[in-house]
């Protein structure tokens, strides 16, 4: 689960990390009061969407030379004007995709006098099964770019969970960032605060880009992205309350209501599969035959007819889907249940794209019979590669 920058900064503040004073608003009328509560003389007006790259982003229907989603203001009035200009519009950044995201919230914060912009992140490193730090002097840019062109400017190390974080790790980060004096000391303190927050709140990624040194020698977290492990949310009610459903993919949101493991992707072939491993293999083989999956979907082991119907409806509601591949290996899941679910869904929402069904395992004959007698225009397949080949052919012609 993701949260907004202003929410992440609230959490940083709770753990004693240095952030600017700021106010979030959802209506233009609130902007003047919000900006007026801050010190000035510089205000920064920031679009809150679950995507980075806002500063360099572009609003749809932007006027010539119009700025992106992070704007400086020199007065309360100007901050209010910029807020009104951004609210309700769609911001496109390299992370939102071409459709962009509607800006429903603005964060107004105190402007900082920046001396240097640095990069600091913590993440769960699967290779070492530990929490890793990533530090770079190249702040304010995409870390992927830095990694691709100047990897020597990135320092990473992991923390042994048995001994936890210590001042040693803080010094390692501060050296990597080239800090001195007051900023060095503050960075050492920041590292253990971030680690504590990361562990206690079940964070999976915490990225501060940029972490800045100000002209007065202090450091500050100027931007913050936080992702949380969704499996931990049952024990993180405070974090869970920060969820903003309007930022989530509506299809994924719908799927989560039915307890379906669904992730929307960019391709054209909708997949309905049981078991995460089989779903991964199905996506791979679709690519092998020259197309791209539109989603990952694991209906689970003991799915009911209703669940299968909902899954199918979610897949067909995606305008990107040009063909559907149902690939079921009946173990606990029975092929006849899948067949009935698919038929019920098609009766309800119709079928405008080719559908290939491959069934195997428990009650396979019954499943095939149900589909055969339904009168549905289904292309039957006997095995996984046959199924993938048939759906790609049906879509690509
Ligand atoms: P994004 O990463 O989505 O573009 P950031 O919060 O990192 O958004 O802002 C982009 C840039 O805007 C920063 O790298 C920094 O140069 C500037 N900036 C952001 N917040 C402030 C602030 N409070 N004071 C001064 N400059 C800021
Ligand atoms: Mg940033």
């Amino acid at each position: 689960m993701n949260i907004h920058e202003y929410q992440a900064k609230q959490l940083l503040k709770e753990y004693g990390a240095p952030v600017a004073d700021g106010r979030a608003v959802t209506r233009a009328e609130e902007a003047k009061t919000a900006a007026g509560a801050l010190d000035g003389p510089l205000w920064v007006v920031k679009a809150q969407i679950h995507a980075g790259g806002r500063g360099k982003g572009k609003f749809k229907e932007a006027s010539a030379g119009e700025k992106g989603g992070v704007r400086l203001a020199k007065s309360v009035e100007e901050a209010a004007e910029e807020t009104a200009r951004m609210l309700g519009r769609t911001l496109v950044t390299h992370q939102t995709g071409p459709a962009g995201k509607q800006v429903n919230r603005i964060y107004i914060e105190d402007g900082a006098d920046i001396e240097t912009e640095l990069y600091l992140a913590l993440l769960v490193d699967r290779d070492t099964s530990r929490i890793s730090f990533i530090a770079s002097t190249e702040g304010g840019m995409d870390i992927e770019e830095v990694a691709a062109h100047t990897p020597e400017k990135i320092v990473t190390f992991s923390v042994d969970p048995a001994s936890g974080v210590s001042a040693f790790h803080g010094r390692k980060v501060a050296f990597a960032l080239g800090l001195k004096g007051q900023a060095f000391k503050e960075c050492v303190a920041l590292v253990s605060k971030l680690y504590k927050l990361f562990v206690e709140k079940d964070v999976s990624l915490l990225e501060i880009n940029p972490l800045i040194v100000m002209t007065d020698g202090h450091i500050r977290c100027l931007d913050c992205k936080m992702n949380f492990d969704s499996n931990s949310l049952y024990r993180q009610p405070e974090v869970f309350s920060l969820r903003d459903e309007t930022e989530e993919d509506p299809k994924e949101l719908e799927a989560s209501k039915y307890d379906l493991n669904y992730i929307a992707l960019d391709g054209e072939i909708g997949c309905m599969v049981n078991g995460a491993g089989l779903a991964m293999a199905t996506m791979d083989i679709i690519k092998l035959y020259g197309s791209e999956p539109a989603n990952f979907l694991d209906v689970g082991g003991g799915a009911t007819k209703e669940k299968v119907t909902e899954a199918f409806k979610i897949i067909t509601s995606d305008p990107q889907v040009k063909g559907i591949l149902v690939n079921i290996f009946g173990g606990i899941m029975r092929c006849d249940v899948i067949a009935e679910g698919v038929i019920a869904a098609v009766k309800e929402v119709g079928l405008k794209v080719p559908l290939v069904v491959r069934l195997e395992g428990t009650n396979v004959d019954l499943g095939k019979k149900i589909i055969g007698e339904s009168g549905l225009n289904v292309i039957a397949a006997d095995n996984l590669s046959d199924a993938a080949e048939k759906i790609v052919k049906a879509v690509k012609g």
Side-chain angles (χ1 to χ4, degrees), residues 308-357:
V308 172
T309 308
E310 286 310 319
F312 202 83
K313 276 163 54 182
I314 291 167
I315 293 175
T316 51
S317 73
D318 182 351
Q320 286 194 104
V321 169
K322 303 285 182 287
I324 299 170
L325 173 55
V326 175
N327 181 26
I328 300 296
F329 187 83
I332 301 169
M333 184 85 229
R334 289 168 14 221
C335 292
D336 54 315
V337 172
I338 290 284
E340 280 173 357
V342 169
I343 290 164
V346 172
K347 277 196 183 129
E348 211 175 315
V349 295
L351 182 65
K352 297 176 197 75
V353 296
L355 168 66
V356 170
V357 177

Side-chain angles (χ1 to χ4, degrees), residues 5 9 20 42-47 49 51-57 69-72 93 95 109-114 117 139-142 207 209-210 212 220-224:
E5 174 199 0
K9 283 182 170 169
L42 191 62
W43 289 259
V44 181
V45 186
K46 308 179 80 172
I49 53 173
R54 296 161 301 166
K56 295 197 183 93
V70 177
R71 302 179 177 189
L72 297 178
T93 81
Q95 285 187 8
E109 69 172 11
D110 271 330
D113 288 323
I114 304 172
E117 300 202 7
M141 352 205 311
D142 269 336
E207 184 185 60
N209 188 21
I212 57 159
R220 184 178 277 180
C221 306
L222 213 61
D223 187 12
C224 186

Side-chain angles (χ1 to χ4, degrees), residues 107-129:
Y107 190 50
I108 307 175
E109 69 172 11
D110 271 330
D113 288 323
I114 304 172
E115 178 116 350
T116 44
E117 300 202 7
L118 311 165
Y119 179 95
L120 180 59
L122 286 78
L123 50 80
V124 177
D125 179 3
R126 287 167 202 275
D127 286 341
T128 55
S129 307

Side-chain angles (χ1 to χ4, degrees), residues 261 263 271-286 295-301 327-329 358 384:
N261 298 311
I263 294 164
C271 310
M272 183 155 86
V273 190
N274 66 323
L278 190 59
M280 297 296 280
T282 305
M283 289 160 56
D284 277 348
I285 205 157
I286 287 172
N295 65 278
F296 168 95
L297 172 61
D298 166 18
V299 290
N327 181 26
I328 300 296
F329 187 83
R358 179 250 176 168
L384 186 45

